[in-house]
Amino acid sequence: MTETNEPDVAVDVTDLHKSFGPVDVLRGIDLRVTRGEVVCIIGPSGSGKSTLLRCVNLLEEPNGGTVVVNGIELTDPDVDIDVARSRIGMVFQSFNLFAHLNVLNNLTVAQRKVLGRDQAKAEETARANLERVGLTGRETAMPNELSGGQQQRVAIARALSMDPDVMLFDEPTSALDPELVGDVLGVMRKLADEGMTMLVVTHEMQFAREVADKVLFMDAGIVVEEGPADQVIGNPQQERTKTFLARVLDPIHQQADGD
């Protein structure tokens, strides 16, 4: 198993390639995320954003290149992927809660089975993380008794309960009603303020501009532009980035003008 010795680097992706059949979805991605950094990935649908995120924890197996997380090369054939992945939190678009388990049990099952925690410690950790996401008192609720925003916050609390070094968010607000988006983004802002290393695929441009230390704009499987949020979103240099942002931001401006 390959280990690197760069303590400040949380995620290091080099020349990453991923194909599905004849379609090249990722075409040589390089990405480095330092500890405590928030990186937002933006771009049109089909640009490879979610595939990149899923390759970071090997939910998708790359066809080429290397992925190193927390000093461990996940693309090494000899790696213990379950151990490596246990320190990477993942929050999906569609919550992925266990429908037959209440909130507390959703948060404790992986702690017990993967980390080997006893029930008391797992519940203590779960309750602390439910408080972090503003859901104290909902421990016995079933997922179908919660709003979409609440379910997503439970999903975040579940990921946090594994004590991850890195959190991956794959368009965490895209399945939510607009009025529920703010609560989830508020939790993510708080995590960023606490110094959590975060890699976020998002369409929420205002969130990216306010919270991200770095923004990547992807299109057709490559990184077209990257840099500080104010630069990439506020003053993009590449024509493709400018075109994308004009389309994404115009409806916001139009609505503001009409208010």
Side-chain angles (χ1 to χ4, degrees):
M1 183 173 70
T2 304
E3 295 196 23
T4 64
N5 190 28
E6 295 185 80
D8 292 336
V9 179
V11 178
D12 197 0
V13 174
T14 305
D15 196 26
L16 190 68
H17 290 258
K18 177 62 182 177
S19 300
F20 294 102
V23 181
D24 295 326
V25 179
L26 299 178
R27 300 185 292 138
I29 300 292
D30 295 317
L31 168 64
R32 176 171 281 204
V33 184
T34 57
R35 297 199 183 281
E37 191 174 32
V38 178
V39 177
C40 285
I41 305 171
I42 64 173
S45 297
S47 59
K49 307 183 301 297
S50 293
T51 300
L52 169 59
L53 213 63
R54 293 172 68 86
C55 284
V56 168
N57 67 353
L58 251 63
L59 287 176
E60 297 288 355
E61 188 171 347
N63 296 108
T66 59
V67 176
V68 178
V69 182
N70 300 322
I72 299 173
E73 184 187 332
L74 273 66
T75 40
D76 184 331
D78 297 325
V79 73
D80 187 333
I81 189 61
D82 291 330
V83 171
R85 194 185 281 148
S86 70
R87 302 305 299 272
I88 307 171
M90 181 87 181
V91 178
F92 302 87
Q93 299 178 37
S94 55
F95 324 140
N96 287 7
L97 299 178
F98 296 112
H100 65 291
L101 297 179
N102 67 22
V103 167
L104 190 64
N105 287 334
N106 261 284
L107 268 64
T108 58
V109 61
Q111 291 186 66
R112 291 185 289 108
K113 292 188 175 182
V114 178
L115 301 183
R117 287 179 179 157
D118 61 36
Q119 185 69 27
K121 177 59 177 176
E123 289 190 5
E124 178 187 353
T125 302
R127 292 179 194 278
N129 284 303
L130 286 172
E131 182 176 1
R132 288 173 81 180
V133 302
L135 288 174
T136 297
R138 302 312 306 269
E139 291 85 351
T140 61
M142 301 299 288
N144 64 4
E145 297 171 340
L146 303 174
S147 70
Q150 289 172 328
Q151 290 186 60
Q152 191 61 292
R153 284 186 282 154
V154 170
I156 294 172
R158 179 176 62 180
L160 291 172
S161 293
M162 300 296 287
D163 297 333
D165 296 309
V166 178
M167 286 284 285
L168 310 179
F169 293 86
D170 186 8
E171 299 191 26
T173 60
S174 65
L176 301 179
D177 292 334
E179 67 268 22
L180 303 176
V181 168
D183 289 340
V184 172
L185 293 181
V187 169
M188 294 171 66
R189 283 189 175 92
K190 182 180 176 184
L191 293 178
D193 290 341
E194 292 173 358
M196 175 63 73
T197 306
M198 296 164 58
L199 194 51
V200 184
V201 171
T202 185
H203 291 293
E204 302 287 345
M205 294 301 135
Q206 190 61 34
F207 172 82
R209 193 164 188 170
E210 292 174 1
V211 178
D213 298 296
K214 180 166 63 182
V215 171
L216 271 66
F217 171 68
M218 288 182 63
D219 188 36
I222 64 171
V223 176
V224 175
E225 188 165 353
E226 69 176 286
D230 281 346
Q231 173 188 310
V232 174
I233 298 176
N235 187 29
Q237 302 302 301
Q238 301 297 319
E239 284 302 319
R240 182 66 187 94
T241 317
K242 294 177 183 178
T243 301
F244 170 78
L245 288 169
R247 289 175 176 168
V248 171
L249 296 175
D250 266 357
I252 299 174
H253 294 158
Q254 291 167 8
Q255 184 176 355
D257 291 341
D259 286 345

